[in-house]
Amino acid sequence: HTKISDNFWSSLKCRLPYISILNLHQCKSFTDIGLLHVIYLCGETLKYLNIGFTMVSGDINARIGVLSSIQTLDCVGCSKLTESGLINLVRICSRRMKNLNIGEHGGRISENCLQQLENINSNLLIKNCCD
């Protein structure tokens, strides 16, 4: 619930290798640009990332598996998050991810998208509003 924006993340000049939990829930000025900076700064050690109720769409260009430590991704309430963006985020997180919380997006995610997510990571537990 802070006003931390993409500019904050881009202003940091050093990596943050000890951050394993990052909660950006309701940082409404946080977008894909900020996410790219977070990936660069602490992506190697991040295990839990909450981007719920941010402006992240997921349509970013990042290497597959760059967030290889992520075990849980929470993106509840990301109104800008598209199906292709969600698939992209799961790819970026690689096959180690265990939990994906999509909240109310559960009703808007197509069966085709869910199948693609399962194809990327068959061990992924997807939590939505109906679970």
Side-chain angles (χ1 to χ4, degrees):
H1 297 277
T2 68
K3 294 182 181 181
I4 289 177
S5 68
D6 297 341
N7 291 334
F8 167 78
W9 296 103
S10 65
S11 70
L12 295 175
K13 301 300 180 210
C14 62
R15 291 204 171 213
L16 304 170
Y18 301 106
I19 293 182
S20 61
I21 298 171
L22 186 58
N23 187 346
L24 297 167
H25 183 82
Q26 288 199 2
C27 292
K28 297 188 187 267
S29 297
F30 186 76
T31 70
D32 292 320
I33 293 167
L35 181 58
L36 284 170
H37 287 291
V38 165
I39 289 169
Y40 172 74
L41 294 168
C42 52
E44 295 172 4
T45 56
L46 208 51
K47 292 187 184 331
Y48 173 87
L49 178 61
N50 186 336
I51 55 170
F53 292 95
T54 64
M55 295 290 119
V56 169
S57 72
D59 293 322
I60 60 174
N61 187 11
R63 290 186 342 261
I64 292 175
V66 75
L67 286 172
S68 61
S69 296
I70 286 280
Q71 294 177 8
T72 300
L73 178 64
D74 192 329
C75 46
V76 171
C78 288
S79 60
K80 303 276 185 195
L81 187 63
T82 63
E83 284 190 353
S84 64
L86 182 61
I87 290 165
N88 190 39
L89 287 178
V90 171
R91 281 190 180 126
I92 290 169
C93 291
S94 88
R95 299 183 185 271
R96 290 187 187 169
M97 190 164 65
K98 298 174 185 173
N99 300 293
L100 173 65
N101 189 357
I102 54 177
E104 62 268 15
H105 275 71
R108 297 188 325 199
I109 301 294
S110 69
E111 286 298 319
N112 181 41
C113 178
L114 291 172
Q115 184 61 52
Q116 288 183 57
L117 293 173
E118 185 176 316
N119 289 344
I120 295 167
N121 183 339
S122 60
N123 297 316
L124 186 62
L125 174 61
I126 301 172
K127 300 176 189 174
N128 62 43
C129 64
C130 304
D131 290 344

